[in-house]
mmCIF file with all atom_site columns, all heavy atoms in Angstrom:
data_model
loop_
_atom_site.group_PDB
_atom_site.id
_atom_site.type_symbol
_atom_site.label_atom_id
_atom_site.label_alt_id
_atom_site.label_comp_id
_atom_site.label_asym_id
_atom_site.label_entity_id
_atom_site.label_seq_id
_atom_site.pdbx_PDB_ins_code
_atom_site.Cartn_x
_atom_site.Cartn_y
_atom_site.Cartn_z
_atom_site.occupancy
_atom_site.B_iso_or_equiv
_atom_site.pdbx_formal_charge
_atom_site.auth_seq_id
_atom_site.auth_comp_id
_atom_site.auth_asym_id
_atom_site.auth_atom_id
_atom_site.pdbx_PDB_model_num
ATOM 1   N N   . SER A 1 316 ? 17.050  -18.942 12.360 1.00 91.00 ? 316 SER A N   1
ATOM 2   C CA  . SER A 1 316 ? 17.747  -18.963 13.637 1.00 91.00 ? 316 SER A CA  1
ATOM 3   C C   . SER A 1 316 ? 17.338  -17.758 14.461 1.00 91.00 ? 316 SER A C   1
ATOM 4   O O   . SER A 1 316 ? 17.295  -16.643 13.956 1.00 91.00 ? 316 SER A O   1
ATOM 5   C CB  . SER A 1 316 ? 19.262  -18.954 13.437 1.00 91.00 ? 316 SER A CB  1
ATOM 6   O OG  . SER A 1 316 ? 19.682  -17.777 12.788 1.00 91.00 ? 316 SER A OG  1
ATOM 7   N N   . GLY A 1 317 ? 17.004  -18.001 15.733 1.00 89.00 ? 317 GLY A N   1
ATOM 8   C CA  . GLY A 1 317 ? 16.665  -16.911 16.626 1.00 89.00 ? 317 GLY A CA  1
ATOM 9   C C   . GLY A 1 317 ? 15.521  -16.070 16.117 1.00 89.00 ? 317 GLY A C   1
ATOM 10  O O   . GLY A 1 317 ? 14.410  -16.558 15.908 1.00 89.00 ? 317 GLY A O   1
ATOM 11  N N   . ASP A 1 318 ? 15.780  -14.774 15.887 1.00 93.00 ? 318 ASP A N   1
ATOM 12  C CA  . ASP A 1 318 ? 14.751  -13.837 15.434 1.00 93.00 ? 318 ASP A CA  1
ATOM 13  C C   . ASP A 1 318 ? 14.631  -13.779 13.920 1.00 93.00 ? 318 ASP A C   1
ATOM 14  O O   . ASP A 1 318 ? 13.936  -12.915 13.381 1.00 93.00 ? 318 ASP A O   1
ATOM 15  C CB  . ASP A 1 318 ? 15.059  -12.421 15.962 1.00 93.00 ? 318 ASP A CB  1
ATOM 16  C CG  . ASP A 1 318 ? 14.915  -12.321 17.465 1.00 93.00 ? 318 ASP A CG  1
ATOM 17  O OD1 . ASP A 1 318 ? 14.301  -13.223 18.059 1.00 93.00 ? 318 ASP A OD1 1
ATOM 18  O OD2 . ASP A 1 318 ? 15.426  -11.349 18.039 1.00 93.00 ? 318 ASP A OD2 1
ATOM 19  N N   . ASN A 1 319 ? 15.284  -14.676 13.225 1.00 94.00 ? 319 ASN A N   1
ATOM 20  C CA  . ASN A 1 319 ? 15.288  -14.659 11.761 1.00 94.00 ? 319 ASN A CA  1
ATOM 21  C C   . ASN A 1 319 ? 14.542  -15.890 11.257 1.00 94.00 ? 319 ASN A C   1
ATOM 22  O O   . ASN A 1 319 ? 15.027  -17.017 11.347 1.00 94.00 ? 319 ASN A O   1
ATOM 23  C CB  . ASN A 1 319 ? 16.728  -14.662 11.255 1.00 94.00 ? 319 ASN A CB  1
ATOM 24  C CG  . ASN A 1 319 ? 16.815  -14.342 9.773  1.00 94.00 ? 319 ASN A CG  1
ATOM 25  O OD1 . ASN A 1 319 ? 16.431  -13.254 9.356  1.00 94.00 ? 319 ASN A OD1 1
ATOM 26  N ND2 . ASN A 1 319 ? 17.339  -15.272 8.993  1.00 94.00 ? 319 ASN A ND2 1
ATOM 27  N N   . ASN A 1 320 ? 13.336  -15.682 10.724 1.00 97.00 ? 320 ASN A N   1
ATOM 28  C CA  . ASN A 1 320 ? 12.496  -16.791 10.283 1.00 97.00 ? 320 ASN A CA  1
ATOM 29  C C   . ASN A 1 320 ? 11.955  -16.542 8.880  1.00 97.00 ? 320 ASN A C   1
ATOM 30  O O   . ASN A 1 320 ? 10.790  -16.193 8.694  1.00 97.00 ? 320 ASN A O   1
ATOM 31  C CB  . ASN A 1 320 ? 11.349  -16.997 11.266 1.00 97.00 ? 320 ASN A CB  1
ATOM 32  C CG  . ASN A 1 320 ? 11.825  -17.555 12.581 1.00 97.00 ? 320 ASN A CG  1
ATOM 33  O OD1 . ASN A 1 320 ? 12.096  -18.739 12.706 1.00 97.00 ? 320 ASN A OD1 1
ATOM 34  N ND2 . ASN A 1 320 ? 11.935  -16.683 13.580 1.00 97.00 ? 320 ASN A ND2 1
ATOM 35  N N   . PRO A 1 321 ? 12.786  -16.716 7.857  1.00 98.00 ? 321 PRO A N   1
ATOM 36  C CA  . PRO A 1 321 ? 12.315  -16.529 6.476  1.00 98.00 ? 321 PRO A CA  1
ATOM 37  C C   . PRO A 1 321 ? 11.308  -17.603 6.090  1.00 98.00 ? 321 PRO A C   1
ATOM 38  O O   . PRO A 1 321 ? 11.343  -18.724 6.593  1.00 98.00 ? 321 PRO A O   1
ATOM 39  C CB  . PRO A 1 321 ? 13.599  -16.640 5.652  1.00 98.00 ? 321 PRO A CB  1
ATOM 40  C CG  . PRO A 1 321 ? 14.511  -17.460 6.488  1.00 98.00 ? 321 PRO A CG  1
ATOM 41  C CD  . PRO A 1 321 ? 14.210  -17.089 7.913  1.00 98.00 ? 321 PRO A CD  1
ATOM 42  N N   . ALA A 1 322 ? 10.406  -17.260 5.182  1.00 98.00 ? 322 ALA A N   1
ATOM 43  C CA  . ALA A 1 322 ? 9.385   -18.206 4.728  1.00 98.00 ? 322 ALA A CA  1
ATOM 44  C C   . ALA A 1 322 ? 9.951   -19.223 3.750  1.00 98.00 ? 322 ALA A C   1
ATOM 45  O O   . ALA A 1 322 ? 9.379   -20.300 3.582  1.00 98.00 ? 322 ALA A O   1
ATOM 46  C CB  . ALA A 1 322 ? 8.225   -17.456 4.074  1.00 98.00 ? 322 ALA A CB  1
ATOM 47  N N   . GLY A 1 323 ? 11.069  -18.897 3.073  1.00 97.00 ? 323 GLY A N   1
ATOM 48  C CA  . GLY A 1 323 ? 11.632  -19.769 2.059  1.00 97.00 ? 323 GLY A CA  1
ATOM 49  C C   . GLY A 1 323 ? 12.667  -20.714 2.598  1.00 97.00 ? 323 GLY A C   1
ATOM 50  O O   . GLY A 1 323 ? 12.915  -20.740 3.796  1.00 97.00 ? 323 GLY A O   1
ATOM 51  N N   . PRO A 1 324 ? 13.222  -21.543 1.695  1.00 96.00 ? 324 PRO A N   1
ATOM 52  C CA  . PRO A 1 324 ? 13.230  -21.393 0.225  1.00 96.00 ? 324 PRO A CA  1
ATOM 53  C C   . PRO A 1 324 ? 11.986  -21.911 -0.503 1.00 96.00 ? 324 PRO A C   1
ATOM 54  O O   . PRO A 1 324 ? 11.885  -21.720 -1.721 1.00 96.00 ? 324 PRO A O   1
ATOM 55  C CB  . PRO A 1 324 ? 14.456  -22.210 -0.183 1.00 96.00 ? 324 PRO A CB  1
ATOM 56  C CG  . PRO A 1 324 ? 14.604  -23.237 0.878  1.00 96.00 ? 324 PRO A CG  1
ATOM 57  C CD  . PRO A 1 324 ? 14.157  -22.596 2.152  1.00 96.00 ? 324 PRO A CD  1
ATOM 58  N N   . ASN A 1 325 ? 11.066  -22.545 0.204  1.00 95.00 ? 325 ASN A N   1
ATOM 59  C CA  . ASN A 1 325 ? 9.841   -23.007 -0.449 1.00 95.00 ? 325 ASN A CA  1
ATOM 60  C C   . ASN A 1 325 ? 8.654   -22.480 0.359  1.00 95.00 ? 325 ASN A C   1
ATOM 61  O O   . ASN A 1 325 ? 8.069   -23.213 1.168  1.00 95.00 ? 325 ASN A O   1
ATOM 62  C CB  . ASN A 1 325 ? 9.819   -24.531 -0.523 1.00 95.00 ? 325 ASN A CB  1
ATOM 63  C CG  . ASN A 1 325 ? 8.580   -25.069 -1.210 1.00 95.00 ? 325 ASN A CG  1
ATOM 64  O OD1 . ASN A 1 325 ? 7.987   -24.389 -2.054 1.00 95.00 ? 325 ASN A OD1 1
ATOM 65  N ND2 . ASN A 1 325 ? 8.168   -26.272 -0.847 1.00 95.00 ? 325 ASN A ND2 1
ATOM 66  N N   . PRO A 1 326 ? 8.276   -21.205 0.175  1.00 97.00 ? 326 PRO A N   1
ATOM 67  C CA  . PRO A 1 326 ? 7.247   -20.601 1.027  1.00 97.00 ? 326 PRO A CA  1
ATOM 68  C C   . PRO A 1 326 ? 5.926   -21.367 0.984  1.00 97.00 ? 326 PRO A C   1
ATOM 69  O O   . PRO A 1 326 ? 5.425   -21.705 -0.092 1.00 97.00 ? 326 PRO A O   1
ATOM 70  C CB  . PRO A 1 326 ? 7.088   -19.193 0.440  1.00 97.00 ? 326 PRO A CB  1
ATOM 71  C CG  . PRO A 1 326 ? 8.398   -18.919 -0.235 1.00 97.00 ? 326 PRO A CG  1
ATOM 72  C CD  . PRO A 1 326 ? 8.825   -20.243 -0.792 1.00 97.00 ? 326 PRO A CD  1
ATOM 73  N N   . GLN A 1 327 ? 5.387   -21.626 2.162  1.00 97.00 ? 327 GLN A N   1
ATOM 74  C CA  . GLN A 1 327 ? 4.102   -22.293 2.304  1.00 97.00 ? 327 GLN A CA  1
ATOM 75  C C   . GLN A 1 327 ? 3.192   -21.448 3.180  1.00 97.00 ? 327 GLN A C   1
ATOM 76  O O   . GLN A 1 327 ? 3.653   -20.746 4.080  1.00 97.00 ? 327 GLN A O   1
ATOM 77  C CB  . GLN A 1 327 ? 4.282   -23.676 2.938  1.00 97.00 ? 327 GLN A CB  1
ATOM 78  C CG  . GLN A 1 327 ? 5.158   -24.624 2.140  1.00 97.00 ? 327 GLN A CG  1
ATOM 79  C CD  . GLN A 1 327 ? 4.540   -25.020 0.813  1.00 97.00 ? 327 GLN A CD  1
ATOM 80  O OE1 . GLN A 1 327 ? 3.354   -25.349 0.753  1.00 97.00 ? 327 GLN A OE1 1
ATOM 81  N NE2 . GLN A 1 327 ? 5.338   -24.983 -0.261 1.00 97.00 ? 327 GLN A NE2 1
ATOM 82  N N   . SER A 1 328 ? 1.898   -21.538 2.939  1.00 98.00 ? 328 SER A N   1
ATOM 83  C CA  . SER A 1 328 ? 0.930   -20.781 3.749  1.00 98.00 ? 328 SER A CA  1
ATOM 84  C C   . SER A 1 328 ? 0.868   -21.352 5.165  1.00 98.00 ? 328 SER A C   1
ATOM 85  O O   . SER A 1 328 ? 0.908   -22.572 5.359  1.00 98.00 ? 328 SER A O   1
ATOM 86  C CB  . SER A 1 328 ? -0.462  -20.842 3.115  1.00 98.00 ? 328 SER A CB  1
ATOM 87  O OG  . SER A 1 328 ? -0.456  -20.294 1.816  1.00 98.00 ? 328 SER A OG  1
ATOM 88  N N   . ASN A 1 329 ? 0.779   -20.472 6.158  1.00 96.00 ? 329 ASN A N   1
ATOM 89  C CA  . ASN A 1 329 ? 0.570   -20.904 7.528  1.00 96.00 ? 329 ASN A CA  1
ATOM 90  C C   . ASN A 1 329 ? -0.647  -20.246 8.166  1.00 96.00 ? 329 ASN A C   1
ATOM 91  O O   . ASN A 1 329 ? -0.838  -20.287 9.379  1.00 96.00 ? 329 ASN A O   1
ATOM 92  C CB  . ASN A 1 329 ? 1.820   -20.664 8.383  1.00 96.00 ? 329 ASN A CB  1
ATOM 93  C CG  . ASN A 1 329 ? 2.281   -19.216 8.373  1.00 96.00 ? 329 ASN A CG  1
ATOM 94  O OD1 . ASN A 1 329 ? 1.520   -18.318 8.011  1.00 96.00 ? 329 ASN A OD1 1
ATOM 95  N ND2 . ASN A 1 329 ? 3.525   -19.000 8.757  1.00 96.00 ? 329 ASN A ND2 1
ATOM 96  N N   . THR A 1 330 ? -1.481  -19.629 7.327  1.00 96.00 ? 330 THR A N   1
ATOM 97  C CA  . THR A 1 330 ? -2.752  -19.072 7.765  1.00 96.00 ? 330 THR A CA  1
ATOM 98  C C   . THR A 1 330 ? -3.627  -18.902 6.531  1.00 96.00 ? 330 THR A C   1
ATOM 99  O O   . THR A 1 330 ? -3.193  -19.149 5.408  1.00 96.00 ? 330 THR A O   1
ATOM 100 C CB  . THR A 1 330 ? -2.573  -17.718 8.478  1.00 96.00 ? 330 THR A CB  1
ATOM 101 O OG1 . THR A 1 330 ? -3.797  -17.322 9.112  1.00 96.00 ? 330 THR A OG1 1
ATOM 102 C CG2 . THR A 1 330 ? -2.177  -16.618 7.495  1.00 96.00 ? 330 THR A CG2 1
ATOM 103 N N   . THR A 1 331 ? -4.861  -18.488 6.737  1.00 96.00 ? 331 THR A N   1
ATOM 104 C CA  . THR A 1 331 ? -5.727  -18.087 5.629  1.00 96.00 ? 331 THR A CA  1
ATOM 105 C C   . THR A 1 331 ? -6.208  -16.670 5.880  1.00 96.00 ? 331 THR A C   1
ATOM 106 O O   . THR A 1 331 ? -6.443  -16.274 7.023  1.00 96.00 ? 331 THR A O   1
ATOM 107 C CB  . THR A 1 331 ? -6.949  -19.020 5.482  1.00 96.00 ? 331 THR A CB  1
ATOM 108 O OG1 . THR A 1 331 ? -7.689  -19.032 6.713  1.00 96.00 ? 331 THR A OG1 1
ATOM 109 C CG2 . THR A 1 331 ? -6.511  -20.419 5.135  1.00 96.00 ? 331 THR A CG2 1
ATOM 110 N N   . VAL A 1 332 ? -6.332  -15.914 4.817  1.00 96.00 ? 332 VAL A N   1
ATOM 111 C CA  . VAL A 1 332 ? -6.757  -14.519 4.914  1.00 96.00 ? 332 VAL A CA  1
ATOM 112 C C   . VAL A 1 332 ? -7.890  -14.296 3.921  1.00 96.00 ? 332 VAL A C   1
ATOM 113 O O   . VAL A 1 332 ? -7.693  -14.419 2.708  1.00 96.00 ? 332 VAL A O   1
ATOM 114 C CB  . VAL A 1 332 ? -5.594  -13.548 4.604  1.00 96.00 ? 332 VAL A CB  1
ATOM 115 C CG1 . VAL A 1 332 ? -6.064  -12.105 4.765  1.00 96.00 ? 332 VAL A CG1 1
ATOM 116 C CG2 . VAL A 1 332 ? -4.393  -13.829 5.507  1.00 96.00 ? 332 VAL A CG2 1
ATOM 117 N N   . SER A 1 333 ? -9.072  -13.985 4.421  1.00 96.00 ? 333 SER A N   1
ATOM 118 C CA  . SER A 1 333 ? -10.219 -13.698 3.551  1.00 96.00 ? 333 SER A CA  1
ATOM 119 C C   . SER A 1 333 ? -10.180 -12.241 3.115  1.00 96.00 ? 333 SER A C   1
ATOM 120 O O   . SER A 1 333 ? -9.957  -11.343 3.940  1.00 96.00 ? 333 SER A O   1
ATOM 121 C CB  . SER A 1 333 ? -11.529 -13.989 4.293  1.00 96.00 ? 333 SER A CB  1
ATOM 122 O OG  . SER A 1 333 ? -11.621 -15.359 4.623  1.00 96.00 ? 333 SER A OG  1
ATOM 123 N N   . ILE A 1 334 ? -10.402 -12.009 1.840  1.00 96.00 ? 334 ILE A N   1
ATOM 124 C CA  . ILE A 1 334 ? -10.384 -10.650 1.286  1.00 96.00 ? 334 ILE A CA  1
ATOM 125 C C   . ILE A 1 334 ? -11.821 -10.247 0.963  1.00 96.00 ? 334 ILE A C   1
ATOM 126 O O   . ILE A 1 334 ? -12.508 -10.937 0.210  1.00 96.00 ? 334 ILE A O   1
ATOM 127 C CB  . ILE A 1 334 ? -9.505  -10.586 0.024  1.00 96.00 ? 334 ILE A CB  1
ATOM 128 C CG1 . ILE A 1 334 ? -8.068  -11.013 0.359  1.00 96.00 ? 334 ILE A CG1 1
ATOM 129 C CG2 . ILE A 1 334 ? -9.533  -9.186  -0.569 1.00 96.00 ? 334 ILE A CG2 1
ATOM 130 C CD1 . ILE A 1 334 ? -7.380  -10.166 1.395  1.00 96.00 ? 334 ILE A CD1 1
ATOM 131 N N   . PRO A 1 335 ? -12.294 -9.105  1.491  1.00 96.00 ? 335 PRO A N   1
ATOM 132 C CA  . PRO A 1 335 ? -13.709 -8.743  1.355  1.00 96.00 ? 335 PRO A CA  1
ATOM 133 C C   . PRO A 1 335 ? -14.073 -8.030  0.063  1.00 96.00 ? 335 PRO A C   1
ATOM 134 O O   . PRO A 1 335 ? -15.242 -7.763  -0.185 1.00 96.00 ? 335 PRO A O   1
ATOM 135 C CB  . PRO A 1 335 ? -13.931 -7.818  2.555  1.00 96.00 ? 335 PRO A CB  1
ATOM 136 C CG  . PRO A 1 335 ? -12.609 -7.140  2.752  1.00 96.00 ? 335 PRO A CG  1
ATOM 137 C CD  . PRO A 1 335 ? -11.579 -8.190  2.414  1.00 96.00 ? 335 PRO A CD  1
ATOM 138 N N   . TYR A 1 336 ? -13.106 -7.696  -0.771 1.00 96.00 ? 336 TYR A N   1
ATOM 139 C CA  . TYR A 1 336 ? -13.375 -6.950  -1.998 1.00 96.00 ? 336 TYR A CA  1
ATOM 140 C C   . TYR A 1 336 ? -12.986 -7.788  -3.210 1.00 96.00 ? 336 TYR A C   1
ATOM 141 O O   . TYR A 1 336 ? -12.222 -8.754  -3.111 1.00 96.00 ? 336 TYR A O   1
ATOM 142 C CB  . TYR A 1 336 ? -12.596 -5.630  -2.004 1.00 96.00 ? 336 TYR A CB  1
ATOM 143 C CG  . TYR A 1 336 ? -11.124 -5.779  -1.688 1.00 96.00 ? 336 TYR A CG  1
ATOM 144 C CD1 . TYR A 1 336 ? -10.203 -6.141  -2.663 1.00 96.00 ? 336 TYR A CD1 1
ATOM 145 C CD2 . TYR A 1 336 ? -10.659 -5.556  -0.389 1.00 96.00 ? 336 TYR A CD2 1
ATOM 146 C CE1 . TYR A 1 336 ? -8.859  -6.294  -2.378 1.00 96.00 ? 336 TYR A CE1 1
ATOM 147 C CE2 . TYR A 1 336 ? -9.311  -5.707  -0.085 1.00 96.00 ? 336 TYR A CE2 1
ATOM 148 C CZ  . TYR A 1 336 ? -8.420  -6.073  -1.082 1.00 96.00 ? 336 TYR A CZ  1
ATOM 149 O OH  . TYR A 1 336 ? -7.086  -6.227  -0.787 1.00 96.00 ? 336 TYR A OH  1
ATOM 150 N N   . SER A 1 337 ? -13.500 -7.419  -4.378 1.00 94.00 ? 337 SER A N   1
ATOM 151 C CA  . SER A 1 337 ? -13.137 -8.113  -5.609 1.00 94.00 ? 337 SER A CA  1
ATOM 152 C C   . SER A 1 337 ? -11.881 -7.483  -6.202 1.00 94.00 ? 337 SER A C   1
ATOM 153 O O   . SER A 1 337 ? -11.631 -6.287  -6.038 1.00 94.00 ? 337 SER A O   1
ATOM 154 C CB  . SER A 1 337 ? -14.284 -8.049  -6.617 1.00 94.00 ? 337 SER A CB  1
ATOM 155 O OG  . SER A 1 337 ? -14.572 -6.706  -6.953 1.00 94.00 ? 337 SER A OG  1
#
Side-chain angles (χ1 to χ4, degrees):
S316 62
D318 292 344
N319 192 62
N320 290 282
N325 181 27
Q327 299 294 315
S328 300
N329 56 18
T330 191
T331 57
V332 182
S333 297
I334 301 300
Y336 50 83
S337 61

